[in-house]
Every structure is written in C-alpha cells, then in structure tokens.
Amino acid sequence: MTKHSIRERLNRATERVEDGFTAAFGARHNPMHQLGALSIFFFWIVLISGIYLFIFYNTTLGGAYDSLERITHDHWWHAGIMRSLHRYAAGAAVITIILHLSREFLRDRYWGFRWYSWFSGVPLLWMLFIFGITGYWMVWDQLAQYVALSTAELLDVLPIFSEPMARNFILEDVLTERFFTLMAFIHLVGMPIVMVLGLWFHMLRITRPRIHPSRTLVLGTMAALLVLSLVHPAVSQAPADMGTVPGQVSINWLYLAIYPIMDATSPHFVWAVILGLSILLSVLPWITFRRQEPVAVVRLDNCSGCGFCADDCPYGAIDLLHFAGSGKARQAQVDPALCASCGICTGSCPSSSPFRNVSPLVSGIEMPQAPMEGIKQRIERALGSVRNENVRILVVGCEHSVDVNRLSRPGVAPLALQCTGMMPPSTLDHAFRSGGADGILVTGCECDDCHFRWGNRWMEDRLDGERPPYFSGRNHRNRIRTVWTKSVGMSKVQQELDNLIRETAAGKGRA
C-alpha cells in the first residue's frame, strides 16, 4: 500500500468522524470546519485574560508566585476563573492548530498554489510554543523553574551566549527582578504582536478568510471552557526554590513535551528533532509531486470587465486592469501563481451563458482543460444518452466530494466537474430548455468545507438569486435539488436522487 493511499484512507476515516460532528451540530457549526477560526478565537481569549491577570500580577522575584496564589484562591470568582480560562484556552489552541495542520495535509491542501499558506504556518508553530513556554515561566513554581532551567540548557548548546544561561536559574543572587518584567513584556506584548503579524501573513493570499467561528460554536466553546475552569481550576505547583533542583513535576504535554524528551536523550537530539520537523514541514509542498492543472485564461474579446470573477475568486488570483486599445474601462487578468484551477470564475462569468448565439461558445474567462463549449457538449451528450427514458435527471457533482459517476443508471446522466462552482446557472437552465432534463441534482463538498472554499456557497447563492450571475429559469428552480456532503456521503446523495426521481415521475404522471 503506497503512502498516497494511506493518506487517502486516513482522510476518509477522518471524514466519517467529521460526519458524526455534522450530525450532532450541523455542517455550519461543525468545529472541524472552523479549526483555524477557533484557533484565533482561543488566541483572543488568552490575550484578553492575560491582560486582565497582569493587573494583579507582581513582577518581582518574591512576589510573582504569591500574586498568582492570591489570584487563584482569594479572587477565584473573577481572576481565578480568568487564570483557568487563560490556561485551558491556550491548551485548546494547540489542539485546534495541530488538527488544522493534520486536516489540511490529509485533504491534500498544502502544495501548488497553497504552498504560501502552508509555509507561512510553520513559523506560527514556533511562535505558539514560545508564547506558551514564557507564560509558564511567569508562574515561578517548581514547574516554571524546571522549564526555565531546561530551556537554558537547551539554548546553551547553541553558539550564541558567551556564558551558560543555566547558571541564572541555579544561583538565587544571579536572577534579578528584571527577569519577570522581561517575561511579562515578551508574553503580553512582544509575542502577541508577532502572532498577529504572523496570522496576517498566513492569510494574506486568501480572500474572505474566516477568522470568527459561528456564534453557536463560540457560545458552546466558551461555556465548555467556563465549566472546565470551575470544575477543575488551574493551580500552581509548589513554589520555586533556587537552592534545589526541581524534583518531580506535573507536565503539560501540549506545550512542554520536549523537556521530558530532552531528559531522556540530550539537548542535541531535541534540536535535531525540532529543526528536522520544521524543515520537513517547510519543504513538504515541494517534495510532493502532483500534476498542476492549467490555470484560468482570460479571453479579452469576450471579457466585459464586470468584475464578477474577481469577486468570486477564493484566492484573489484575478485583478481588473485597463488594457490599452481594448476600448473597455477594465478587464480581468489572472495571476498564475495564485490560481487554484477551480473554475469558479467560469461559473461567475456572464459570457459563459450557453444561450449566446455564438459557435463555438467562448467565455470571457475559462479553464483550458474544461472550456465552456466542452461542458455544454458534455451535458448534451449525457442527457442524449438517456433520451429514451421516462425521467431524465442530470447530476452535477464535484470531483472532491461524492463520485457522481457511481450514480449512473437508466435515466440518470452524471457530470463531474473540478468544482461545482464552475457551472454557470444559465447552463442548468439550458439543460432544461434545450437538453430535455426533467430534473437536476447538484452536489459537492459539505457546507463550509468546500475544497476551494466558496464553490458550493456561490452555486447555492446564484440559484437562489442572491449572487450574480443569477439563475434566470425561475420556472425550473423547483426542479433543482442541492445536497452538500463529504466524499463518504454517498447515501445522502443517493437518497436525494431517489426523491427527485420519484417526485419528477409523479409530476409527469399528473401532467
């Protein structure tokens, strides 16, 4: 079994798990669809709670631990809860980020045009753990002393410092009051600024990035964190003692796993693992060999400069520019480095309409591997193959969701596209008027989980007259069904198809 097939099998397994979340919460509130937004939400909880805690924090060697004890016990009903929220939101952020990274890898969303988002996410992992580790130092209990001493030993193997850092955490007269002021600045000012800049770079090439989870998910997550904070509040371990080496301490494995590994091996081994994983993650988009699909091509003679394609592009790959001598105010231009080859721009182009009196049909923007004339002919051939059937149903699907070719049977004409969003709504109307379709089933990726981010949403909005180009066949809208699901959701599509066939046959019988 190849590595590629292992990844696909794991992907399908995770899709089944996510399908359970959808059944429980609904697709729009599925936490697995909003891992990036949840990570940002947890970051804001950590930042706000941290600022609140700093009001009560004493940045002195003798007062740091005592101030946190007062926060935890004397003021548990506000500052103590904030401390627990701070701790648990930080842990939750690690979980959602690791899930987000793993999910993007399993979904094959890390190479090609997506390399930038993947590559810029690697430094965010470093920032996250530096952010968390400096927070543990500020508690200044035995765990903090252990982390500080181990971190110093880890840094001492690097040819940076002239004197060993570890001695600063062994001798009490060496550690000064400025240490906690420095840690507070790094933890509350420096790292948050760096994190915000890192997140901005990470989402730079994405249009309409989702940075806020759904309100339902926010309220549910916040309630869970509050309950956890009340039931199991965060507390400090025994106070740090510079006269002794920390003994047995309780480790948070989400942030501090490298330290027990270093105890069992060596700092050099830990650096080799950290740098090795960082390099592997960074170069992964270029050591993955995939055939890059041709990018969208603008046909300037047919481009009106309406801007629908630029508005709909999920990755900002289309700009509107003025071309001298074109006689038009502006026309589209595609950046090949950003183009996802999804074809959503084709579905948004008004000149993609098959009702235009031109032959062959040439759109203002289209995919070389799937031109509009070719899609039009594929629909005509598919419906022509079921012409003698009592009910003729066209099924339009996405290659990244259910395999619609498996739905082929008498009376059903399947058509698979790179993305459902590349189908202009006028083409569906043409399938009714000229192709003889009795009904159309449109399927694709699950809501808020489109492989190309917006394909299913834009298709739904176009059909409902909420986004241009609008579906003009109002009389035919009730004969179109949509079902959005994952690749493991064949039963859902099959059920909707059966319902459509039954309703269509009953309607023709009454007629």
Side-chain angles (χ1 to χ4, degrees), residues 423-435:
M423 175 69 77
S426 56
T427 305
L428 300 181
D429 192 22
H430 184 266
F432 283 119
R433 299 188 187 187
S434 303

Side-chain angles (χ1 to χ4, degrees), residues 71-94:
I71 285 171
T72 304
H73 302 291
D74 297 344
H75 303 282
W76 68 267
W77 51 276
H78 61 100
I81 291 175
M82 279 293 195
R83 181 187 180 183
S84 297
L85 278 176
H86 189 77
R87 174 76 61 84
Y88 292 129
V94 175

Side-chain angles (χ1 to χ4, degrees), residues 239-413:
D241 183 358
M242 300 295 287
T244 63
V245 176
Q248 187 174 1
V249 292
S250 178
I251 290 290
N252 182 339
W253 289 92
L254 290 174
Y255 276 99
L256 309 176
I258 62 171
Y259 298 113
I261 294 175
M262 188 178 75
D263 292 340
T265 55
S266 69
H268 294 87
F269 177 80
V270 169
W271 275 118
V273 171
I274 293 174
L275 294 177
L277 285 175
S278 299
I279 293 171
L280 176 62
L281 288 174
S282 298
V283 303
L284 194 59
W286 293 278
I287 62 177
T288 301
F289 298 99
R290 304 277 197 282
R291 183 177 65 87
Q292 183 67 50
E293 293 287 337
V295 301
V297 176
V298 178
R299 312 296 185 186
L300 293 178
D301 291 342
N302 294 284
C303 177
S304 65
C306 66
F308 293 166
C309 57
D311 289 340
D312 285 1
C313 181
Y315 302 98
I318 303 174
D319 293 315
L320 296 175
L321 305 175
H322 175 71
F323 291 88
S326 67
K328 300 176 182 178
R330 57 180 190 171
Q331 290 182 297
Q333 183 180 56
V334 177
D335 184 345
L338 301 180
C339 181
S341 304
C342 61
I344 290 177
C345 53
T346 301
S348 65
C349 184
S351 66
S352 295
S353 172
F355 293 108
R356 291 174 59 210
N357 190 24
V358 292
S359 184
L361 175 62
V362 179
S363 177
I365 185 169
E366 57 185 9
M367 308 306 299
Q369 68 275 34
M372 281 311 305
E373 178 66 23
I375 292 177
K376 177 184 174 183
Q377 292 178 4
R378 287 173 62 190
I379 291 175
E380 292 173 350
R381 286 196 300 269
L383 289 172
S385 66
V386 294
R387 190 172 300 278
N388 296 325
E389 301 296 332
N390 181 45
V391 174
R392 287 170 288 181
I393 303 295
L394 174 67
V395 180
V396 180
C398 166
E399 293 178 355
H400 301 280
S401 182
V402 168
D403 182 6
V404 295
N405 291 315
R406 292 172 54 193
L407 298 170
S408 180
R409 54 172 148 157
V412 176

